[in-house]
Amino acid sequence: MLPTIEWRKDKVIMIDQRKLPKKEVYVECTDYNQVAEAVEKMIIRGAPAIGIAAAYGVALGLLRIENEENLNDEFDRIYRRLERTRPTARNLFWALEKMKNTFEKNKGLSLTKLKQRMIQKAVDIEREDLETNKKIGIWGKDLLKDGQSVLTHCNAGSLGTAGYGTALGIIRAAVQEGKKIQVYADETRPYLQGARLTCWELDRENIPVTLIIDNTAGFLMQKGMISVVITGADRIARNGDTANKIGTYTIAVLAKEHNLPFYVAAPSNTIDFNLPEGKEIPIEERDPREVREIGGRCLTLPHVKVQNPAFDITPARYISAIITEKGILRPPYEKSLKGLGR
Ligand code: MRU
């Protein structure tokens, strides 16, 4: 299994996802600001993985505190810094809230004990995410039949989580059961999570993967070459509307046109019970250079205006099912998602 992120000897270690697949380089963070920057720069990315990073960031921030004076203010500063890193993934805020609860419950303890509790909580969040993904895989694998082709977008794999992955976890579970599954990976412009990360992960495990540019999906569907679509999610509103990597909506519409199932795989902590519908999900706008340039080389006029939303919203009506660790949820999602809060 791929090590995405871990707590080791009072440091946070993460694989530098910007460098994959060419280099396997690990980044060491010794303070919470470095963790925050790693999330912003997408050294680590993927909704569950940035949640885990934020939890470790809080633990690291507290670990560096030397006396109890202004403990609440210090905690607040750390929390606010990590909260500002990326706006869309619900998992990041969920993990920060969990860390805050642990802080509130234990801040009366000695500083040493408090630090231990905070580290333990972050480690638990990581461990539970791995278990959650395996459960998603178990629920989801029966949706795939031997010989099918699965289209996926972005990277909802080991690298976007504590390990195993959500969408790719389902594929892994089906393959482990002996099913022959062929994966089509959208390259996922501009950050190329599909080309660089999904292909790398699947290839390491000898799961057959074919890389396509983002515009190819419709053509392959028309030719009957795709059986199912599975993607991850960054935030799911109460009605099932789902934010995921830009381009997901386009594929969902295409899937409906071709009568193909479109599945979303995500842990239940991706669901934002405060938001009734998807239009309220904040969508991150990223640096125009990500679009203007590839590998530091300008592709267009250096001053051309760019729009670079990192995510889009797929309305619930396009989603055949949402696969969580608690089961397979079907429309109407207002009903099926209810009660999943934790
Ligand atoms: O910008 P990213 O790479 O963080 O976006 C990631 C995605 O959109 C993933 O599909 C999602 O977070 C699920 S990761 C299991």
Side-chain angles (χ1 to χ4, degrees):
M1 194 110 50
L2 297 172
T4 307
I5 179 166
E6 67 180 12
W7 181 269
R8 203 189 301 155
K9 295 186 186 150
D10 292 347
K11 287 178 195 152
V12 180
I13 317 287
M14 49 182 94
I15 191 162
D16 189 342
Q17 301 196 26
R18 300 168 309 174
K19 306 251 161 73
L20 288 169
K22 284 196 180 139
K23 286 186 194 150
E24 269 181 54
V25 177
Y26 288 83
V27 170
E28 263 190 19
C29 301
T30 52
D31 72 52
Y32 74 92
N33 258 311
Q34 289 171 335
V35 175
E37 275 173 26
V39 172
E40 284 165 348
K41 291 180 181 160
M42 289 172 70
I43 289 173
I44 187 159
R45 35 66 47 203
I50 63 174
I52 297 161
Y56 279 141
V58 172
L60 206 49
L62 275 168
L63 191 66
R64 300 283 172 259
I65 291 176
E66 277 164 14
N67 62 59
E68 283 160 55
E69 240 173 80
N70 305 325
L71 191 58
N72 284 323
D73 292 348
E74 287 289 319
F75 180 84
D76 229 44
R77 205 155 45 89
I78 297 163
Y79 188 98
R80 302 275 164 240
R81 173 69 185 98
L82 290 157
E83 186 187 48
R84 282 197 312 271
T85 51
R86 294 192 75 191
T88 305
R90 169 66 194 143
N91 316 60
L92 181 124
F93 303 97
W94 174 89
L96 285 172
E97 284 157 21
K98 291 283 165 197
M99 294 304 282
K100 193 179 175 119
N101 290 344
T102 306
F103 174 75
E104 293 298 339
K105 266 195 221 140
N106 294 290
K107 65 185 183 188
L109 299 175
S110 70
L111 195 52
T112 315
K113 278 231 166 76
L114 172 66
K115 288 176 180 179
Q116 280 167 0
R117 295 272 161 97
M118 297 299 281
I119 294 168
Q120 191 52 52
K121 183 66 192 172
V123 170
D124 287 348
I125 288 175
E126 184 198 334
R127 193 178 34 84
E128 281 165 22
D129 186 62
L130 181 59
E131 285 163 17
T132 293
N133 294 332
K134 293 197 171 158
K135 286 184 192 154
I136 292 174
I138 291 169
W139 284 109
K141 68 181 169 39
D142 293 340
L143 297 170
L144 299 182
K145 295 190 189 76
D146 189 29
Q148 282 193 323
S149 298
V150 181
L151 173 69
T152 190
H153 190 65
C154 194
N155 171 266
S158 266
L159 291 164
T161 63
Y164 205 69
T166 53
L168 297 193
I170 292 175
I171 293 167
R172 283 192 165 96
V175 169
Q176 272 157 17
E177 230 183 25
K179 291 176 188 161
K180 283 203 170 61
I181 304 291
Q182 157 74 40
V183 181
Y184 284 98
D186 274 341
E187 65 170 350
T188 321
R189 274 275 285 153
Y191 190 74
L192 304 175
Q193 289 94 331
R196 297 188 305 102
L197 309 177
T198 296
C199 289
W200 182 69
E201 265 194 56
L202 294 175
D203 185 67
R204 275 167 64 112
E205 288 171 39
N206 296 317
I207 299 175
V209 58
T210 304
L211 175 64
I212 58 174
I213 62 163
D214 296 333
N215 302 337
T216 301
F219 178 69
L220 296 191
M221 288 180 185
Q222 216 171 34
K223 287 176 79 104
M225 291 166 71
I226 309 276
S227 331
V228 177
V229 183
I230 314 181
T231 72
D234 285 80
R235 198 186 290 227
I236 301 172
R238 245 170 22 220
N239 69 346
D241 291 352
T242 294
N244 191 52
K245 180 53 54 196
I246 189 77
T248 304
Y249 169 48
T250 316
I251 306 166
V253 174
L254 281 168
K256 197 170 187 92
E257 169 68 19
H258 293 90
N259 284 318
L260 298 174
F262 178 91
Y263 298 126
V264 168
S268 57
N269 59 24
T270 311
I271 305 164
D272 189 341
F273 291 96
N274 296 317
L275 296 188
E277 49 189 2
K279 63 174 191 249
E280 293 176 53
I281 299 175
I283 298 294
E284 177 183 11
E285 181 72 28
R286 290 190 61 87
D287 191 328
R289 280 175 304 184
E290 289 182 352
V291 175
R292 278 196 209 110
E293 298 172 8
I294 284 193
R297 252 181 9 135
C298 190
L299 301 170
T300 179
L301 305 171
H303 57 272
V304 76
K305 203 172 141 200
V306 161
Q307 197 151 358
N308 186 16
F311 303 96
D312 60 23
I313 311 287
T314 300
R317 66 180 179 280
Y318 293 102
I319 302 172
S320 316
I322 299 175
I323 303 136
T324 72
E325 76 281 15
K326 296 181 180 171
I328 300 178
L329 310 171
R330 300 277 182 182
Y333 295 110
E334 280 88 351
K335 252 183 153 175
S336 54
L337 294 184
K338 225 183 200 168
L340 283 192
R342 51 178 190 175

